Amino acid sequence: MTFFNSKALNRRKFLAGAAAIGVGTTLPLLQSRAAFGADVALEFEGWNYDPEFQTQIVTEYTAQNPAVSVNFIAEPAAQYVPKMIARFIGQNAPDLLYVRDQTLAGWADAEYIRPINDFPDWEEHVAGLIPFHRAGLEYEGKVWGLPYYGDHIAYIYNSDILEKAGIAAPPVTWAELADQSLAIKKAGLIERPFAFPLKSNAGLHWWSAVYASGGSLFDAEGNPKFPDEDTVALQLLEFLVHAAQELDILDQTSVQMGTAEGRLALAAGQVAFASSARYDLKVINDPATSKVSGFAKQVLFPSLTADGPHGTVGWTQMFSISSNTAHPDEAWDVLKYISSQDVAKRYYLKNGVGYAYEALDNDADIAAETSKWSDQGMFAKQGALAKPREYIAFPWAAEWEDFHMQQMQEAIVGRKTARDAMLASADKAIQLKKSS
Amino acid sequence: MLVLLGLVAYPVGLSLWISLHKMSFRKPKDFPFVGLDNYTTALTSPEFASALSVTLKFSLASVVLIVAIGLALALLLNVPVRGRGVLRALVLVPWAIPPIVNATLWQLIFDSHVGAFNGLLMQLGLIDAYRSWLIDPNMALVIVVLAHAWNHVPLATIILLAALQAIPRELYEAALVDRTSRFRVLREITMPWLLRPIMIVMILQTMGALRAFDLFYVLTGGGPGTSTTALAWLTYQTSFVYLDVGMGSTYSYIIMIITFAVALFYIRGLYKRGDVE
């Protein structure tokens, strides 16, 4: 007679059996936990760019620090912000997390994350950072984390196409770029050789163009300076409209193009000029992922006039500690490890993703790696001209930028004039600022 | 009952409560009561007016197309021909495709560099270079309507086909004896019997079209400009990108009210015909 077919299967036996099953399944876990020896379990969450690397780093950390276990979870990048906010609201945030530059101000205001200034040795961990990356970690006079990575928007051209069109040097101004695009078109190489990402989440490229021509969109209080107080934005949009509608040199898909689509268009040889994240050069110059391997080169971001200043947008993504962690000291210890200069260097060597440490600019391994797919000198030169978007701390920034990109699209497809689009965008900024 | 209250009534009630407050996940501790301010702001904003216009155009075009094609296919599949069973199975295929896959499929078809639609037009000699169909503000909405209709026509076809098969054969036999023309048979016998199922298809499809989101998300992202920014897309952007859940809940309620009003309109139509007790 077995346990289950026994007529005597009463409540007591059922409970005893359930308890036995419970103990039987839990005990091995408890034993393995004890064997592992971790006293503190931390959750670490980020978006899904190379999660294997991050898992490897935390595994190394836990091997050196057996009293702490760290579970890294990678979320799809597109859902990362709403997912994290849901966790913050539900008081269920991970101990450590990635923080995007656009969300820093909002998450700091909402007290979702905690500043690192409370930890005794924080200053020595931000001392060697490139100034603009150091600034990217700050908000309201406090430092909110340590760098994950940082980079800038690069202007990229296809040297092979330029050579075939008889063009000796890459463009310095937008006017030169238009002339070269017309030459490429005339040579029958590419019908529309120039792309400008204008999708709603591609504002980085627009800001880079504005900075490259010495423009500014907002004052310190968030009042729009375009289209008349600072005319750079209007002139740039007028140029893009002219390139799309009259010169017919702007790739038609630009209005649907984000950074990823721009990179793919460059790698497929569909365009000769486009901006992209600087680290994308590694992929665009990789024969396994590109048709134009070896021909994608970086040049300073074109401007309206030859005297530049050819600036661009730079950004810093960071690791932070959530406010509600029960183990802030252990989280800080992990944070220092995962954002160390050594890890940043390894990340660069693996993925080409930019670093925030000044010392790495002169690192021989970094220079050797960069030379395989880019130009370290140009990287440093353009990087020195990079700065973050000036509106990023305004709570209405994301909504305004989406609206602004929609207005740009309306102008490019001919549904509005450049000036009307800019005026509508400025009005929207004023309205959002007023209601925030 | 408790499960229903917990899973349906509570979230619906909570979102109504949120829609009466200014609430942003950027500042979760601020939760001031604003009454109907969010509704006033929504109904007077140009973004809302534009999104409503896009939604209504999309819904109208989709419902007309789905009912027309669904009816035509149902009539065709009701004719006794060889292989009818296979055809009936084939017509269901688009319905079995998840909406997000359907959207990706149509994105590939209309791709400006490798799209099959461009390839077809080139082979027919109708265009001399590939075009970016989805960047044309007028074409973009047409393509979304086509993709939506392709996915939803099978359901309409099946409902109407079932209704066709329920029509008594005696009526057709009597018409045959009277040598009534095919058009008159359609007008006097078939259509009156189909009116109620057509109304049901229209209710279902209008509700689906008013809430359509995935196609806009994958195919156009609401663009170019605001040419395909429908209410559901505006709600998503407001709630999950701008994190303004107060306003996002307001938009959700407005969509619900519109859907409810349209359903009532159709049901009143059925009442007038005496089909609903």
Side-chain angles (χ1 to χ4, degrees), chain A residues 390-407:
Chain A
E390 60 204 8
Y391 79 128
I392 213 154
F394 302 141
W396 41 269
E399 189 170 356
W400 172 79
E401 191 168 287
D402 266 6
F403 183 85
H404 181 71
M405 298 311 282
Q406 280 176 353
Q407 294 305 306

Side-chain angles (χ1 to χ4, degrees), chain A residues 306-349:
Chain A
D307 53 353
H310 305 292
T312 191
V313 162
W315 65 90
T316 309
Q317 314 292 26
M318 67 172 84
F319 301 122
S320 289
I321 300 172
S322 68
S323 295
N324 69 346
T325 178
H327 308 288
D329 294 331
E330 288 82 359
W332 170 239
D333 202 47
V334 176
L335 183 60
K336 288 186 288 186
Y337 186 85
I338 59 178
S339 69
S340 67
Q341 183 173 309
D342 175 58
V343 171
K345 178 177 171 178
R346 286 165 58 192
Y347 205 37
Y348 187 90
L349 295 178

Side-chain angles (χ1 to χ4, degrees), chain A residues 78-79 81-82 85 89 106 109-112 251-253 255-256 270 395 398-399 402-403 406 409-410 413 415 428 435, chain B residues 22 25-29 47 112-113 130-132 134-135 137 217 219-220 223-227 229 237 240-243:
Chain A
Q79 279 86 50
V81 172
I85 285 173
I89 299 286
D109 279 342
E111 297 175 16
Y112 292 151
D251 186 284
Q252 291 181 327
T253 57
V255 295
Q256 291 181 307
Q270 288 165 355
E399 189 170 356
D402 266 6
F403 183 85
Q406 280 176 353
Q409 293 172 10
E410 299 259 319
V413 300
R415 293 189 0 149
K428 181 74 177 179
S435 63
Chain B
K22 190 176 172 78
F25 281 154
R26 290 182 199 282
K27 293 180 181 173
K29 288 176 183 168
E47 288 87 10
S112 57
H113 296 294
Y130 274 33
R131 286 183 56 184
S132 301
L134 288 166
I135 67 150
Y217 183 81
L219 269 176
T220 63
T226 53
S227 59
T229 300
Q237 289 279 91
F240 297 108
V241 180
Y242 313 147
L243 305 175

Side-chain angles (χ1 to χ4, degrees), chain B residues 76-109:
Chain B
L76 211 64
L77 293 173
N78 198 37
V79 177
V81 288
R82 276 185 71 186
R84 187 168 66 166
V86 177
L87 288 175
R88 283 180 180 176
L90 276 177
V91 89
L92 279 174
V93 170
W95 196 40
I97 293 177
I100 206 83
V101 178
N102 176 47
T104 309
L105 199 75
W106 282 84
Q107 191 185 36
L108 283 173
I109 290 171

Side-chain angles (χ1 to χ4, degrees), chain A residues 117 122-123 126-127 129-138 141 143 316 356:
Chain A
N117 308 69
W122 71 274
E123 278 172 307
V126 295
L129 300 181
I130 295 166
F132 127 69
H133 288 302
R134 160 73 201 263
L137 306 175
E138 290 180 19
V143 180
T316 309

Side-chain angles (χ1 to χ4, degrees), chain A residues 36-87:
Chain A
F36 188 63
D39 300 323
V40 172
L42 297 178
E43 258 194 39
F44 174 26
E45 203 152 333
W47 55 84
N48 58 350
Y49 182 79
D50 198 358
E52 295 79 15
F53 181 84
Q54 212 57 266
T55 304
Q56 186 190 332
I57 297 301
V58 296
T59 306
E60 287 172 13
Y61 175 84
T62 51
Q64 293 169 27
N65 300 275
V68 178
S69 75
V70 183
N71 181 30
F72 177 69
I73 304 157
E75 297 291 344
Q79 279 86 50
Y80 181 71
V81 172
K83 172 79 190 292
M84 280 299 110
I85 285 173
R87 293 197 65 175

Side-chain angles (χ1 to χ4, degrees), chain A residues 158 160-161 184 189-194 251 261-273 284 289-293 295-296, chain B residues 113:
Chain A
N158 182 324
D160 183 44
I161 299 283
I184 292 166
L189 296 165
I190 300 175
E191 184 59 22
R192 297 180 186 91
F194 153 48
D251 186 284
E261 291 85 357
R263 179 188 67 227
L264 290 171
L266 277 164
Q270 288 165 355
V271 294
F273 305 106
I284 301 169
T289 50
S290 172
K291 284 184 181 174
V292 303
S293 169
F295 297 118
Chain B
H113 296 294

